[in-house]
Amino acid sequence: MDFIKKLLQANQERGRASIQMTVESDFNLPDFEPDMIKLIDRKGTARIHETHVEPDQAVVNGALFFQALYKCTESGAICSLQGEVPFTETIHMEGIQETDQLVLRSSMEDLSLGMINSRKLNIRALINLEAIDHMEQQIELPTGMEDTSVQALYQQQKMLQLLTQKKDICRIHSEILLPSNRPNISRLLWQSVQLRGFDSRVRAGEIELTGELLVNIVYKGEEDEKQVQCMETTVALHERIECSVCEPDTLFKLVPLQIQLEVTPTEDEDGENRVLMLEGTLDFYLRIWREEELQVLEDAYSLQDELTLEREPVNLQSLLVKNDSKFKIADQIPLENQPAEILQLCASVGEVFIEDSHIIPDGIEAEGILKVRMLYITASDDMPIGVAEGVIPFTRQIEAEGIRPEDTYELSAGIDQLTVILADNSQADIKAVIGLDSIVFRRQCTSLITGMSRHPVDLEQYEKQPGIAGYIVKAGDRLWDIAKEHHTTVSDVIQMNQLSGGHVNRGDKLLIVKQMGTAAGSV
């Protein structure tokens, strides 16, 4: 028996796995770098180069990139170095296949650098890797019947039609000019590029990315190399990504996977090092849906034959809520054991991590931390640069009215604003605005009709049923179920009992006449 079908393109999370790995290696200073006396600061990031998906596992190749500031033997000057430590790790995920497209994210929980001697460092980092397998599937939904002799019941359902899902790269390029009151750059010692206030919006035929890139540099000037210079500036992020299926009413989720931005000093038109080239990439994972309301065949029967319905359990998704919220954090971080008076704050680097989240009544509760690391200039000639860091915990509830334990959600966090003020030499005042983006999917477990076969009516059983019957409506009864049980149609029950609509209430008394071979109808 043929159905009228509509193809639904969907994607669902089939599984996820996360591991915590330790990357450790010794690093020798290049021959051209002076000897180390004392380490001052370090920063790093884990970058994923490629992922090979194999049956039941994924092999991840990447590298730990690091920067270090240290006091060197050149008259106690400040020097810097950078390097990378490659790594390969295997993530076991039962059921994944080579054709699956994994979404992989990395974060660094801890980084420590230790001096082995004046020419060698020990580098140790704790890295988290999370892999998510989003399974793309095609579901044939029965939305109609070609056989007009069958009584059919339809249910209106909202569903998400997947239009596209892909991993892509946005390339970023910008030039930064040094202010006129700053000396030329002799050597760049330290750099930090942070993405703040990231936002994405869908337009006709494209997705618009906006935000702010906060750039901090520490460098040696040409006039006096012993004097450390620091500068902070912002670069507006405004990029457009072409997307042929994008329309203003489509639903989308864009997740940044990793951002790689580097600052490189270059010469200006006069041949002086006064230009900073900001270049890099933003890797992201994009999914776009269209929300559709479809009528899906829920049940069917015939007055002429016995029908056997073949069903298959499927999980369908609809959107419950998409919530982009912001909240403020204000706290203080103690500055302990400072060797000298703090003169100037060079840079403040912030990272936000969601450590746990769970569903609560009408919402999601997220627990996380804000890590803040500060680089500053001191009044000490012996150690002109100092560093301090602190952690601020937070708990936040996100509204998601009607969320159920079986529903699924995705949650991401970012920093919109971060302000650090040195109140005195003993503490720093921290104020931040954190953005939490969530999307909640309603999980609909349903038994989808995939086939139907006809059999002759059991006449003996049919004749045992009374031709006319009285029925008292019970709680939860539907006219469809009553008509099907008594071998008649919904329209006949309505007409026979002069009902004003298609609903009945508990205790209603109905007169039902059994029928045979009546024309079909649908509900």
Side-chain angles (χ1 to χ4, degrees):
M1 186 174 293
D2 293 329
F3 301 109
I4 299 171
K5 295 182 178 180
K6 180 177 175 62
L7 188 65
L8 180 72
Q9 196 83 5
N11 80 317
Q12 297 187 31
E13 183 181 310
R14 181 162 58 182
R16 68 171 59 202
S18 59
I19 62 170
Q20 194 173 72
M21 56 179 287
T22 300
V23 176
E24 186 169 10
S25 179
D26 292 341
F27 182 85
N28 294 312
L29 266 68
D31 294 338
F32 56 84
E33 297 287 2
D35 288 357
M36 293 181 291
I37 298 175
K38 184 179 180 180
L39 283 170
I40 300 174
D41 195 16
R42 76 282 187 270
K43 71 185 292 289
T45 181
R47 297 176 184 173
I48 298 170
H49 295 327
E50 58 181 355
T51 306
H52 299 287
V53 181
E54 302 172 358
D56 297 328
Q57 67 178 21
V59 180
V60 182
N61 294 317
L64 165 68
F65 288 79
F66 68 90
Q67 296 181 54
L69 274 178
Y70 66 95
K71 184 179 178 181
C72 59
T73 53
E74 291 183 352
S75 303
I78 302 300
C79 299
S80 67
L81 62 90
Q82 60 183 10
E84 63 179 277
V85 180
F87 62 80
T88 299
E89 189 68 21
T90 300
I91 303 176
H92 295 280
M93 295 183 70
E94 186 176 350
I96 65 170
Q97 301 298 322
E98 295 175 283
T99 55
D100 290 357
Q101 186 182 66
L102 290 187
V103 178
L104 207 64
R105 302 183 71 176
S106 65
S107 63
M108 191 165 60
E109 191 167 317
D110 186 51
L111 172 67
S112 61
L113 273 63
M115 282 182 57
I116 298 175
N117 56 50
S118 62
R119 302 296 303 173
K120 182 181 284 189
L121 284 173
N122 175 258
I123 300 161
R124 189 175 187 275
L126 198 60
I127 296 173
N128 297 315
L129 295 177
E130 181 184 39
I132 305 174
D133 182 12
H134 284 285
M135 176 180 64
E136 189 169 334
Q137 57 184 161
Q138 293 182 337
I139 303 172
E140 290 186 332
L141 300 174
T143 58
M145 297 285 297
E146 292 185 354
D147 190 340
T148 58
S149 68
V150 174
Q151 302 290 318
L153 176 66
Y154 296 96
Q155 182 182 30
Q156 293 293 122
Q157 288 186 304
K158 285 186 177 181
M159 303 177 192
L160 292 178
Q161 176 78 266
L162 180 68
L163 302 179
T164 186
Q165 67 169 352
K166 63 177 180 177
K167 288 187 285 187
D168 209 339
I169 295 175
C170 175
R171 303 192 181 277
I172 299 171
H173 174 86
S174 185
E175 292 186 4
I176 304 170
L177 301 178
L178 247 61
S180 58
N181 60 345
R182 297 281 184 177
N184 295 347
I185 299 173
S186 172
R187 182 181 177 184
L188 195 63
L189 297 175
W190 191 89
Q191 60 173 282
S192 170
V193 182
Q194 303 168 73
L195 179 60
R196 301 276 176 87
F198 179 73
D199 190 24
S200 54
R201 297 181 184 275
V202 66
R203 310 290 188 194
E206 65 180 20
I207 291 179
E208 183 182 46
L209 306 182
T210 58
E212 189 177 72
L213 297 171
L214 181 65
V215 180
N216 292 101
I217 63 167
V218 178
Y219 70 96
K220 290 180 179 180
E222 288 183 352
E223 298 174 0
D224 184 2
E225 288 203 357
K226 291 185 179 180
Q227 185 178 358
V228 175
Q229 302 287 331
C230 60
M231 186 188 80
E232 177 180 283
T233 188
T234 58
V235 176
L237 173 68
H238 196 179
E239 302 288 340
R240 287 181 168 86
I241 302 168
E242 291 185 4
C243 180
S244 59
V245 299
C246 285
E247 295 295 339
D249 60 342
T250 52
L251 172 71
F252 78 104
K253 179 69 175 176
L254 188 147
V255 181
L257 299 177
Q258 62 182 6
I259 184 167
Q260 303 178 30
L261 291 172
E262 300 290 338
V263 175
T264 306
T266 58
E267 295 180 351
D268 61 10
E269 295 177 353
D270 299 325
E272 298 179 328
N273 276 344
R274 300 194 61 81
V275 178
L276 294 170
M277 300 296 295
L278 174 62
E279 295 179 302
T281 57
L282 169 65
D283 295 20
F284 61 88
Y285 174 53
L286 173 66
R287 284 162 293 164
I288 301 175
W289 302 269
R290 181 174 59 245
E291 194 170 27
E292 298 183 357
E293 187 167 356
L294 303 173
Q295 67 166 20
V296 180
L297 183 64
E298 180 184 352
D299 197 7
Y301 68 92
S302 172
L303 300 180
Q304 299 170 332
D305 305 288
E306 291 289 344
L307 300 183
T308 299
L309 303 180
E310 299 171 12
R311 295 181 181 270
E312 181 179 325
V314 295
N315 290 322
L316 302 176
Q317 279 188 339
S318 61
L319 175 68
L320 180 63
V321 67
K322 193 173 187 291
N323 190 330
D324 299 339
S325 62
K326 304 182 190 299
F327 66 98
K328 296 180 180 180
I329 291 179
D331 208 339
Q332 294 179 331
I333 293 178
L335 306 176
E336 299 174 346
N337 304 319
Q338 300 305 315
E341 181 185 358
I342 299 174
L343 298 179
Q344 180 185 352
L345 183 67
C346 288
S348 53
V349 178
E351 291 182 281
V352 60
F353 299 93
I354 300 294
E355 298 191 313
D356 183 44
S357 63
H358 52 272
I359 293 174
I360 59 174
D362 290 331
I364 302 167
E365 186 171 81
E367 298 176 3
I369 57 171
L370 171 65
K371 285 186 176 181
V372 180
R373 190 170 181 86
M374 295 161 283
L375 195 69
Y376 53 83
I377 295 177
T378 74
S380 171
D381 294 332
D382 183 57
M383 186 59 71
I385 291 182
V387 64
E389 59 184 341
V391 175
I392 303 173
F394 64 83
T395 299
R396 183 70 176 177
Q397 294 184 358
I398 306 163
E399 291 184 6
E401 186 176 353
I403 190 172
R404 307 173 307 188
E406 62 268 25
D407 293 334
T408 60
Y409 65 90
E410 298 176 18
L411 186 63
S412 56
I415 299 175
D416 271 31
Q417 299 175 23
L418 177 64
T419 304
V420 179
I421 299 176
L422 300 176
D424 50 41
N425 220 50
S426 63
Q427 67 181 23
D429 293 334
I430 310 296
K431 292 183 179 179
V433 177
I434 307 296
L436 285 178
D437 298 341
S438 62
I439 185 169
V440 182
F441 300 102
R442 167 71 18 107
R443 187 179 181 185
Q444 305 175 58
C445 301
T446 186
S447 181
L448 205 64
I449 296 176
T450 57
M452 187 180 298
S453 58
R454 288 181 180 271
H455 308 281
V457 173
D458 186 343
L459 293 177
E460 183 178 349
Q461 184 67 29
Y462 173 77
E463 290 174 355
K464 288 181 180 180
Q465 296 178 347
I468 300 177
Y471 185 82
I472 300 176
V473 178
K474 300 187 294 293
D477 277 349
R478 296 183 303 175
L479 276 177
W480 170 267
D481 301 315
I482 297 171
K484 181 180 179 181
E485 181 183 352
H486 291 83
H487 209 78
T488 185
T489 66
V490 170
S491 59
D492 186 71
V493 175
I494 292 175
Q495 184 178 358
M496 179 66 66
N497 294 273
Q498 298 182 350
L499 300 177
S500 58
H503 300 281
V504 288
N505 300 314
R506 179 182 178 183
D508 287 351
K509 296 178 181 179
L510 303 176
L511 181 63
I512 301 174
V513 179
K514 181 175 66 174
Q515 297 189 32
M516 184 68 174
T518 305
S522 63
V523 178

